[in-house]
Amino acid sequence: MPPAFPTSNGMRVFLKDSYLVLFVLAFVLLSGYALFVTPPRAYPSGASVSVPQGASVREAGRLLEDTGALRSVEAFVIAVRFWNPGGGVLASTYALSEKESAFQLAYRFAH
């Protein structure tokens, strides 16, 4: 009959595998954050973005992406849905004075 718990050798293998999975998961999450959420290096400080009345979240994200203030429209859409569930973006002209991440822009555009 096999033991109820892994043997010490089996436990070491299990822990090695667990650490590897955690490392890969952390790497993927940090890489995704760096690639999609952080502001671009050439952030258009001093520019402005005008969101027209009735614009969708995706359209606002594309305006930001076209201006160079956003790396990923998808990250912006997800962040707006997080900050304003069921809502959209507010029509306005937004000044881009300092570097902001997709989450910071989404918060500003949703409130």
Side-chain angles (χ1 to χ4, degrees):
M1 180 162 223
F5 297 101
T7 62
S8 61
N9 193 25
M11 183 59 101
R12 274 187 237 128
V13 170
F14 174 74
L15 288 176
K16 274 186 184 178
D17 291 346
S18 297
Y19 289 137
L20 179 63
V21 168
L22 287 174
F23 175 76
V24 169
L25 181 62
F27 179 77
V28 168
L29 289 174
L30 290 173
S31 297
Y33 180 82
L35 290 173
F36 300 111
V37 178
T38 58
R41 286 187 183 166
Y43 191 85
S45 294
S48 63
V49 174
S50 294
V51 178
Q53 186 70 34
S56 70
V57 174
R58 190 166 307 283
E59 289 168 341
R62 285 195 188 107
L63 289 170
L64 283 166
E65 187 178 54
D66 292 345
T67 306
L70 199 61
R71 289 179 189 243
S72 168
V73 174
E74 292 305 318
F76 178 77
V77 170
I78 290 168
V80 169
R81 299 287 183 238
F82 174 78
W83 291 120
N84 191 8
V89 293
L90 301 174
S92 184
T93 298
Y94 297 90
L96 305 174
S97 56
E98 59 185 52
K99 284 188 173 187
E100 294 178 279
S101 70
F103 289 131
Q104 290 168 317
L105 289 168
Y107 182 81
R108 225 171 30 123
F109 279 51
H111 287 100

